[in-house]
Amino acid sequence: MTTTRRIPHCSHWGAYTLLVEGDQITGVEPFAADPAPSPIIHSVPEWAKEERRVLRPMVREGWLEKRLDSNRRGRGSEKMIPVSWDIALSLVADEITRVSRDHGNASIFAGSYGWTSCGRFHHASTLLKRVLNLVGGYTGHRDTYSIAAGPVILRHTLGDDQACGGGANTLDSIAENTETLLVFGALSPRTAQSEAGGIGTHQLETFLARMQERGVKVTLVSPLKDDLPEWMEAEWWPIRPNTDAALMLGMAGEIVKTGRADTDFLDRYTSGSEELLAYLDGRADGVVKDADWAARITGLKAPAIRAQVEAMLTSRSMITVSWALQRAHHGEQPFWAALALACVIGQLGLPGGGVGYGYGSLGGVGSPIARGKSPAMSKGRDVIDSFIPVARITDLLLNPGAEFTYEGETRTYPDTRLVYWAGGNPFHHHQDLNRLAEAWTRPETIIVQEPMMTPTARRADILLPASTSLERNDIAGARRSDYVLAMGQAIPPVGEALSDYEIFSRLAALLGVEEAFTEGRDEMGWIRHLYDQTRADAAERLGFEMPDFDSFWAEGHTPAPVERHHTYLKAFRADPEAAPLATESGKIVLGSRKLAALDYDDCWSHAAWIEPVEWLGNDTSGEALHLISHQPKGRLHSQLETGAASLAEKRHGREQLRLHPEDAAARGISDGQTVRVWNDRGECLATATLTTDQRAGVAVLPTGAWFTPQAQGPELAGNANVLTVDVGSSKFGQGCSAHTCLIRVAPYQGPAGDAIETYQAELLAAAET
Ligand SMILES: Nc1nc2c(c(=O)[nH]1)N[C@H]1C(S)=C(S)[C@@H](COP(=O)(O)OP(=O)(O)OC[C@H]3O[C@@H](n4cnc5c(=O)[nH]c(N)nc54)[C@H](O)[C@@H]3O)O[C@H]1N2
Ligand SMILES: Nc1nc2c(c(=O)[nH]1)N[C@H]1C(S)=C(S)[C@@H](COP(=O)(O)OP(=O)(O)OC[C@H]3O[C@@H](n4cnc5c(=O)[nH]c(N)nc54)[C@H](O)[C@@H]3O)O[C@H]1N2
Ligand SMILES: [Mo]
C-alpha cells in the first residue's frame, strides 16, 4: 500500500501542501487559511518534469575548446557538453580568480536580477553575492524591474519609498474610511496572486468586497476594463496609456483654477509648491493645466474629470497608483503627479485619505503591514562600490567605460568580463531582447545557474543545474508576509541538480572561503538559525510569541506580527516639525532644489507632463497600437510557462494578443487568427483575441513567454520583450520603460508551427548532445 506524505510548501504565489507518493507529487492542496489561493499552485508539479530541466552541468563546446578565443556568437546555438560537477565548478572558480586578478572585481557582473525561488535561505542571487563579497566583490544593481523610477522619485519627495512598498494606508483602513477612490492602473487579483518571498493569505478581494459593500465610489483609470473585478461596478475611464500624469496634473490644475487648493496644507506640509502652482496655472509656460487640457491629452472627457474633482474635494478621497505606471518612459511623473494632486486636495495623513502606490501589484502591498524581521540570508558587506541601475544591463555590456547618471550622480560602467546569473531570466525580463542578444556576445564568460533550460540558460558558457524548491528544504515569508512558512523537501533532486546553497558552498571551498560562507551550518542548521532570529526579534521588539522551531516545522506555518488600519503620514500631519520627512526640506517636496540644480530635460524640478518617446500622441504612421505587456495571469513571469494555469491562457501554443474589435477589423484580423506583431526593434507571433474590455488603439500581450527566436522571421512564442523599448525612465530614475511601446499588427501569412512544440523539439535536440 502506498502512503501519501503531506509536505508543507510555499511559492511566490502562496502556501500549499504537497501530496507525495514515493518520488511523485500526486496533488497540491491550498493553504487552509488562505481566502483566495492562487490557481498557479497546481502547476508546481511541472517543475519535476525532466523535459525542461537542466539535468547536468554543461559547458559550451567552443568555450571548452578555446576559452576566451571562442566565437561568442555561438552562445545559444552551439552544442553544450556535459561535464562533472568537479570540472564545472573548478572552471567557474578559475574564471572568478582570473577576472578578479586581471581586471578587478568590478569586471564581474553579479547583479543577477530575478525572482528565483521564494525560499529565503537558498536565495540564489543573495548566495552568489555572499560568495563574491568574500573574494573581493562584484558589480551589482540598484532597484528592481518592478519599481525603480517610482521609489527613486519618492525618496526625494517623501523621504523614503515606503508609500510604494506597502507602507501607505492599508486597504483595511481604506475599505472603512474612503468614500471616493480613484484607481490608476489596477487593483487586480491577477497580480495580487504573487508576493516576493511568499505569502500566507491573499486579502485583496476581501477588502475590495468590503469597499463594494460600503458603497465606495470607485473610478478605474486604465486602458483595460478588467484591471478591477467587474463586480466592483467601478466607473471605467479608458485612458490613453502613459498619459496619467497629465490627468493628475489637469485635476490639480482644475482645483487651483477654481480657487479650491488646500493652501494651508501646501504651506504647512510641502516645499516648492509655488513652482508647481506656476506650472498648473500657466504662468510658467502659458498653458493652463485643467480638465480640458487633460481631456485632450488623455482621451477622456472634461465634464467627467470636473465631476471627479468635485467628489475628491468634498468627500474622503484616496488615490491609488499601480507600479505599472512607473514602468514607463518618464515613469517618475505619474508617481510625483499623484502626490501633487493629493497635496492640493490636502487629505494626506487622514484615515483613508491621500495617495498610495502598488496596491495589489503584489499580494502583500496594502495588506496589514508585517512588523517582524523576515527570515533572510545575508549577502555580507558589499566590499566594492560598483553597480548599475537594474535595467541598464544591455548598456553596461555594450558600453564599458561610458558614463551614466542615477539619482543625481554620474558614474561609469565597468568593463564586464564575466557575467554570473543565478535565479533570473534576463531573456524574459529585459526590454528589447534583440539588443540584449547583441550585448550578450560581449563578455568573455557567462555562467548561468538555473533549474530550467530557459532561454538564458541556453545562452550560457557554463551552465549549472540548480534544484527547484521541491527538492530541498527552505523557509518562506518575506517582508510583506503575514506568515512564516515551511518549505519541506518533497522529492529527490532531478538529474544531477544540486541546491543553490550546496553549489555555492562547494564554490566557496574552491575559492578558499568555505568557513566564512557556511559559518559551519548545513541546510537545516541555517533554516533553524534564520527562524530563530525572526522569532527572537518578534519577542524582543514586539512582544509577539512564535512557536519554537520544531513546532513550527511540524505545523508548516506560523503567523507573523502585523499592524492593521495603518494611516500613512499620520504623525507628520499631526506635527510636521516633530516628525519631519527625510527630504531636502523635511516636508513633502513639490518643487525640488536638487532636481532644479540637475536641470534634466526628462525629470524636471516639479511634477510635469513630459511626452514619452512612444505614445499614441506621436504615432506618425497612423497605424500603431500602444502595447501593454502586463504580468501574465497563469504564471509568474516566465516561471511554469508550460504549467496548466499558463497553458490555459495561451491559444494555439502562443500568447494571446488582445485587440479591440475596431482595431482588428481595420487590419482584417479575426478572433483566433495568428498575427504578426512588430516594430523597428523586433517581431513575434501571437494569437489574436478580440475584446471590448480595452481602449481602442491599445493591444495587450502578457510577458513571460519563452523567447523562441528563429534564424529568419518572427519570434514564435509571443515574447513581448522583442518589441519593448530599452531606454531608462529618465536620467534620474533609470527604471525600465516596459509599458512604453508602439507596435504594428497584421494577419500572419507564413507557416506557423506551434511554439511550444518547436521549443520542446529544440530542447530535446540540445539534451541529446
Ligand atoms: N515587457 C515587460 N517586461 C517585464 C515586465 C513587464 O511588465 N513588461 N515586468 C518586469 C518585472 S516587474 C519583473 S519582476 C521581471 C521578472 O523577471 P525574472 O525575475 O527574471 O523572471 P522569472 O521568470 O521569475 O525568472 C526567475 C528565474 O529563476 C529560476 N529559478 C526558480 N527557482 C530557482 C532556484 O531555486 N534557483 C535558481 N538558481 N533559479 C531558480 C526560474 O526558473 C526562472 O528562470 O520581469 C520584468 N520584465
Ligand atoms: N500572476 C502574476 N502576478 C504577478 C506577476 C506575474 O508575473 N504573474 N508579477 C509580479 C510582479 S514581479 C510585479 S512587479 C507586479 C506588477 O504589478 P503591476 O505593475 O500592477 O502589474 P501590470 O500587470 O504590469 O500592470 C497592471 C495594469 O496597469 C495598467 N497600465 C499599464 N500602463 C498603464 C498606463 O500608462 N496608465 C494606466 N492608467 N494604466 C496602465 C495595465 O492595464 C495593466 O493591466 O505583479 C506581480 N504579480
Ligand atoms: Mo516585478
Side-chain angles (χ1 to χ4, degrees):
M1 208 190 83
T2 51
T3 49
T4 303
R5 291 181 293 131
R6 300 176 56 84
I7 313 283
H9 210 77
C10 186
S11 296
H12 296 293
W13 40 94
Y16 46 90
T17 302
L18 294 166
L19 308 183
V20 185
E21 289 174 18
D23 290 348
Q24 297 291 315
I25 297 170
T26 54
V28 183
E29 276 177 12
F31 179 40
D34 190 347
S38 161
I40 304 175
I41 61 174
H42 299 290
S43 299
V44 157
E46 187 74 15
W47 271 331
K49 292 189 183 162
E50 292 196 354
E51 303 94 271
R52 281 205 156 196
R53 292 291 294 265
V54 182
L55 293 173
R56 57 191 69 85
M58 290 187 235
V59 183
R60 179 169 66 87
E61 190 174 39
W63 194 93
L64 201 56
E65 283 169 7
K66 300 191 186 141
R67 299 291 154 91
L68 309 192
D69 297 326
S70 83
N71 175 9
R72 296 171 201 166
R73 292 185 186 275
R75 289 179 182 137
S77 57
E78 266 174 35
K79 262 197 199 164
M80 297 296 284
I81 311 293
V83 297
S84 67
W85 268 110
D86 283 348
I87 289 177
L89 286 174
S90 65
L91 292 173
V92 172
D94 288 351
E95 276 303 282
I96 292 172
T97 307
R98 176 187 71 84
V99 173
S100 165
R101 182 192 61 222
D102 295 350
H103 305 283
N105 282 55
S107 290
I108 304 174
F109 180 74
S112 185
Y113 179 80
W115 269 54
T116 192
S117 139
C118 90
R120 298 295 92 182
F121 164 57
H122 288 287
H123 192 258
S125 63
T126 304
L127 297 176
L128 168 62
K129 290 172 179 128
R130 186 178 169 92
V131 175
L132 288 172
N133 269 333
L134 294 170
V135 295
Y138 58 91
T139 292
H141 73 77
R142 290 289 155 84
D143 303 310
T144 62
Y145 277 81
S146 319
I147 39 172
V152 169
I153 197 70
L154 293 188
R155 290 202 280 268
H156 295 271
T157 55
L158 282 166
D160 58 46
D161 50 25
Q162 280 178 44
C164 73
N169 294 342
T170 45
L171 284 166
D172 52 6
S173 171
I174 294 173
E176 297 309 329
N177 296 291
T178 304
E179 291 162 316
T180 305
L181 183 69
L182 181 58
V183 178
F184 286 90
L187 288 178
S188 175
R190 171 178 54 83
T191 48
Q193 286 176 84
S194 310
E195 177 55 71
I199 189 164
T201 64
H202 294 86
Q203 302 184 48
L204 177 67
E205 283 148 292
T206 308
F207 298 128
L208 291 183
R210 177 67 188 137
M211 288 179 212
Q212 222 268 343
E213 188 183 288
R214 258 191 69 242
V216 179
K217 174 184 147 54
V218 184
T219 303
L220 172 69
V221 182
S222 170
L224 309 193
K225 190 177 180 193
D226 53 348
D227 270 342
L228 201 64
E230 191 157 13
W231 50 260
M232 285 293 285
E233 296 169 347
E235 193 175 311
W236 175 40
W237 290 12
I239 193 168
R240 265 190 193 148
N242 291 194
T243 65
D244 303 78
L247 177 57
M248 295 159 176
L249 293 164
M251 292 177 78
E254 187 71 28
I255 295 170
V256 171
K257 190 169 98 174
T258 53
R260 289 186 295 171
D262 188 336
T263 47
D264 291 342
F265 186 93
L266 295 176
D267 290 345
R268 184 146 192 233
Y269 300 107
T270 75
S271 66
S273 66
E274 323 73 44
E275 214 179 325
L276 175 74
L277 295 183
Y279 171 73
L280 296 179
D281 66 19
R283 275 175 291 149
D285 60 0
V287 181
V288 178
K289 317 300 181 303
D290 60 7
D292 294 308
W293 172 81
R296 281 195 299 278
I297 296 168
T298 58
L300 300 172
K301 296 190 173 64
I305 297 173
R306 278 190 282 270
Q308 182 71 25
V309 163
E310 186 64 32
M312 303 283 289
L313 285 170
T314 54
S315 67
R316 181 56 52 86
S317 60
M318 175 80 199
I319 303 160
T320 67
V321 187
S322 288
W323 285 353
L325 274 79
Q326 53 83 69
R327 275 204 308 292
H329 197 218
H330 305 148
E332 294 82 7
Q333 300 313 313
F335 269 41
W336 200 2
L339 177 62
L341 173 58
C343 288
V344 169
I345 294 171
Q347 298 189 18
L348 269 160
L350 299 176
V355 63
Y357 307 85
Y359 293 100
S361 289
L362 293 179
V365 180
S367 283
I369 299 173
R371 285 296 178 210
K373 171 188 177 345
S374 55
M377 202 58 189
S378 167
K379 69 174 158 78
R381 195 174 57 83
D382 277 335
V383 291
I384 61 170
D385 172 32
S386 183
F387 70 84
I388 59 165
V390 67
R392 301 276 46 85
I393 177 67
T394 298
D395 289 349
L396 165 74
L397 300 180
L398 288 179
N399 308 315
E403 284 188 342
F404 68 94
T405 55
Y406 171 72
E407 235 178 320
E409 276 186 62
T410 301
R411 304 177 68 101
T412 305
Y413 289 124
D415 178 12
T416 305
R417 302 292 171 129
L418 171 63
V419 169
Y420 196 142
W421 222 292
N425 188 4
F427 277 92
H428 140 62
H429 70 227
H430 193 59
Q431 287 57 62
D432 197 349
L433 288 181
N434 291 318
R435 189 168 176 258
L436 176 65
E438 179 59 34
W440 204 251
T441 65
R442 302 300 166 89
E444 291 166 346
T445 302
I446 297 178
I447 301 162
V448 176
Q449 181 166 319
E450 246 290 340
M452 316 305 292
M453 201 42 113
T454 62
T456 304
R458 296 185 54 178
R459 286 163 177 74
D461 296 323
I462 306 175
L463 178 54
L464 305 176
S467 54
T468 70
S469 71
L470 301 176
E471 301 144 50
R472 63 204 191 194
N473 296 295
D474 213 325
I475 184 166
R479 61 194 169 111
R480 277 184 295 262
S481 176
D482 50 350
Y483 278 82
V484 177
L485 297 141
M487 298 171 65
Q489 177 175 356
I491 55 171
V494 173
E496 293 174 25
L498 295 177
S499 73
D500 289 292
Y501 183 69
E502 178 68 21
I503 297 170
F504 286 121
S505 299
R506 291 191 192 186
L507 183 59
L510 291 173
L511 293 168
V513 293
E514 186 183 15
E515 268 299 308
F517 180 81
T518 66
E519 295 179 24
R521 290 186 196 93
D522 62 5
E523 177 181 80
M524 283 314 289
W526 269 110
I527 294 169
R528 184 181 287 272
H529 178 67
L530 297 179
Y531 178 84
D532 285 345
Q533 286 182 332
T534 296
R535 180 175 180 238
D537 169 73
E540 284 158 24
R541 216 163 39 84
L542 305 161
F544 185 91
E545 285 301 315
M546 293 172 74
D548 64 45
F549 178 78
D550 294 315
S551 315
F552 154 70
W553 193 254
E555 185 69 26
H557 54 86
T558 188
V562 296
E563 178 197 334
R564 292 170 208 283
H565 296 283
H566 175 73
T567 298
Y568 179 57
L569 296 186
K570 189 172 160 190
F572 172 68
R573 186 177 184 111
D575 190 342
E577 280 75 41
L581 304 181
T583 58
E584 60 185 26
S585 57
K587 299 180 177 187
I588 299 170
V589 174
L590 296 182
S592 160
R593 295 196 295 267
K594 179 175 183 113
L595 280 163
L598 289 166
D599 197 27
Y600 290 146
D601 56 357
D602 55 4
C603 190
W604 306 354
S605 58
H606 56 81
W609 154 245
I610 315 173
E611 282 191 42
V613 273
E614 290 179 18
W615 69 298
L616 290 171
N618 73 357
D619 163 40
T620 48
S621 72
E623 289 175 18
L625 301 174
H626 191 117
L627 181 71
I628 302 282
S629 50
H630 69 183
Q631 305 292 7
K633 184 175 173 197
R635 59 177 179 261
L636 178 73
H637 317 129
S638 69
Q639 298 196 43
L640 295 174
E641 199 240 10
T642 44
S646 169
L647 291 180
E649 303 297 322
K650 291 182 187 267
R651 266 174 107 177
H652 313 320
R654 290 180 226 295
E655 291 301 299
Q656 302 188 52
L657 180 81
R658 278 173 53 169
L659 293 172
H660 192 279
E662 281 172 20
D663 296 322
R667 291 162 180 78
I669 295 167
S670 54
D671 187 65
Q673 196 174 3
T674 304
V675 289
R676 186 169 86 90
V677 191
W678 79 97
N679 57 23
D680 290 348
R681 293 176 289 271
E683 57 176 329
C684 68
L685 298 183
T687 304
T689 291
L690 310 192
T691 170
T692 51
D693 280 352
Q694 66 199 48
R695 184 189 174 88
V698 170
V700 185
L701 183 64
T703 57
W706 280 28
F707 180 53
T708 312
Q710 313 180 81
Q712 295 273 302
E715 190 276 343
L716 289 174
N719 184 306
N721 278 326
V722 304
L723 304 162
T724 49
V725 59
D726 182 17
V727 295
S729 56
S730 78
K731 296 183 187 75
F732 196 53
Q734 295 287 10
C736 88
S737 298
H739 283 314
T740 298
C741 179
L742 292 182
I743 54 160
R744 308 274 289 275
V745 187
Y748 179 63
Q749 312 293 0
D754 180 295
I756 300 266
E757 279 172 17
T758 308
Y759 204 88
Q760 216 75 29
E762 283 183 20
L763 287 183
L764 288 177
E768 274 160 17
T769 58

